[in-house]
């Protein structure tokens, strides 16, 4: 990175939100466990429960599948899980479980490296943006973002999947946020934890991209992004 900095000319830095700036997976898992427990109790009361462990296993499988497909409406997650369990409930009950889910999953602490790098980038004069997908019916992504104390550092926040903006990995939201920041796509760098939705899509849109892979879980990570980091603090080396 010393001899040739591909990020030279970057004027705006755009971040994904969940698992990039804030911890989400841990709290989402806790929320799924709470919903599975409530589902088990609910069906025990009215008929017969398949059991907590079975429900949780199916919820985790369904959540991973639908999340990868860009289906973020938790009501649909529960519907799909119940279909697999051959069970049905009224829609009001789905909303109750979604409310329970978000009461836990929306408590997202900011990563220490995120807090440090945001302050650093702001001090260097970069424009900052957040580009993240909508939480779906029953969720409120903007409210979740506004809850964290670093939200005031960002010049633009775009919730893809709302207000006519298509969800990632469509390239439209990447181009759109660059326009909102009043910068050309080639002068913008996207940072996210999802190799396809954040990084590959950003590159297709003309931005440079950086994959944050804190636990080195992504196979062949360099195929998706221009650069791979383990900590956001590494950005200080070239931004």
């Amino acid at each position: 990175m010393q001899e040739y900095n591909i990020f030279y000319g970057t004027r705006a830095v755009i971040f994904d939100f969940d698992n990039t700036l804030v911890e989400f997976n841990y709290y989402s898992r806790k929320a799924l466990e709470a919903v599975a427990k409530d589902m088990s109790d609910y069906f025990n009361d009215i008929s017969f429960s398949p059991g907590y462990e079975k429900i949780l296993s199916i919820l985790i499988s369904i959540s991973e599948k639908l999340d990868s497909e860009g289906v973020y409406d938790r009501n649909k997650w529960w519907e799909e899980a119940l279909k697999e369990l051959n069970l049905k409930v009224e829609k009001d009950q789905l909303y109750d479980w979604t409310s329970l889910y978000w009461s836990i999953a929306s408590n997202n602490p900011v990563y220490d490296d995120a807090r440090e790098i945001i302050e650093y980038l702001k001090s260097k004069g970069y424009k900052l943006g957040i580009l993240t997908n909508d939480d779906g019916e029953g969720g409120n992504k903007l409210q979740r973002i506004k809850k964290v104390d670093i939200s005031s550092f960002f010049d633009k926040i775009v919730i893809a999947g709302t207000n006519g903006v298509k969800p990632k990995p469509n390239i439209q939201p990447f181009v759109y946020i660059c326009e909102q920041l009043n910068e050309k796509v080639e002068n913008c760098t996207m940072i996210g934890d999802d190799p396809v939705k954040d990084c590959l899509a950003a590159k297709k849109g003309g931005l440079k991209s950086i994959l944050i892979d804190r636990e080195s879980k992504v196979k062949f990570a360099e195929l998706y992004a221009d650069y791979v980091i383990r900590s956001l603090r590494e950005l200080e080396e070239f931004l």
Side-chain angles (χ1 to χ4, degrees):
M1 298 302 296
Q2 293 288 327
E3 295 179 5
Y4 175 65
N5 183 356
I6 62 171
F7 301 102
Y8 180 78
T10 295
R11 295 168 55 87
V13 184
I14 302 160
F15 291 85
D16 174 51
F17 186 64
D18 290 328
N19 301 312
T20 298
L21 295 173
V22 301
E23 177 88 38
F24 181 73
N25 281 346
Y26 172 82
Y27 296 91
S28 177
R29 174 58 183 257
K30 290 296 181 186
L32 287 176
E33 290 172 0
V35 171
K37 175 67 167 60
D38 202 73
M39 280 187 178
S40 180
D41 292 344
Y42 176 87
F43 289 110
N44 249 340
D45 288 343
I46 63 172
S47 56
F48 170 76
S49 172
Y52 167 76
E53 294 295 342
K54 183 174 183 179
I55 293 173
L56 178 60
S57 175
I58 288 174
L59 283 183
I60 291 171
S61 175
I62 292 292
S63 69
E64 290 173 351
K65 174 179 177 290
L66 294 186
D67 183 77
S68 70
E69 294 173 0
V71 179
Y72 306 114
D73 184 345
R74 269 54 181 181
N75 288 347
K76 287 187 169 55
W77 289 16
W78 320 141
E79 283 180 338
E80 286 295 313
L82 293 176
K83 195 181 298 181
E84 199 162 318
L85 290 162
N86 200 28
L87 297 168
K88 288 184 179 181
V89 297
E90 297 294 328
K91 192 162 187 179
D92 286 350
Q93 183 58 53
L94 297 177
Y95 276 105
D96 286 348
W97 286 326
T98 294
S99 295
L100 173 60
Y101 174 91
W102 284 119
S103 71
I104 299 168
S106 63
N107 299 307
N108 313 120
V110 178
Y111 289 115
D112 289 341
D113 61 345
R115 190 182 306 281
E116 292 171 19
I117 204 62
I118 292 305
E119 293 177 356
Y120 167 81
L121 292 173
K122 201 67 175 178
S123 73
K124 298 283 283 186
Y126 288 99
K127 295 177 183 177
L128 299 179
I130 291 177
L131 175 60
T132 182
N133 280 343
D134 183 42
D135 280 338
E137 191 174 5
N140 191 326
K141 193 60 158 287
L142 186 58
Q143 185 179 71
R144 284 209 290 126
I145 293 171
K146 293 292 187 182
K147 278 174 64 176
V148 301
D149 56 1
I150 61 169
S151 63
S152 60
F153 285 91
F154 292 90
D155 301 290
K156 294 293 178 181
I157 297 171
V158 172
I159 312 296
T162 64
N163 301 318
V165 181
K166 294 179 180 178
K168 299 182 292 182
N170 193 288
I171 67 170
Q172 185 225 4
F174 296 94
V175 175
Y176 177 74
I177 192 169
C178 294
E179 291 172 349
Q180 291 295 299
L181 290 164
N182 199 27
E183 292 292 346
K184 296 178 180 178
V185 290
E186 58 265 31
N187 294 332
C188 297
T189 295
M190 176 74 197
I191 302 166
D193 71 297
D194 191 298
V196 176
K197 294 177 192 172
D198 295 324
C199 299
L200 194 59
K203 288 181 68 174
K204 287 180 179 178
L207 296 77
K208 296 179 180 68
S209 70
I210 297 172
L211 177 70
I212 172 73
D213 185 16
R214 286 189 171 85
E215 299 176 9
S216 302
K217 286 184 174 180
V218 181
K219 293 181 180 179
F220 310 112
E222 291 78 6
L223 297 178
Y224 301 94
D226 291 303
Y227 199 64
V228 182
I229 57 178
R230 308 293 176 235
S231 167
L232 292 176
R233 295 184 183 95
E234 294 177 50
L235 297 176
E236 293 187 24
E237 297 174 18
F238 46 86
L239 287 178

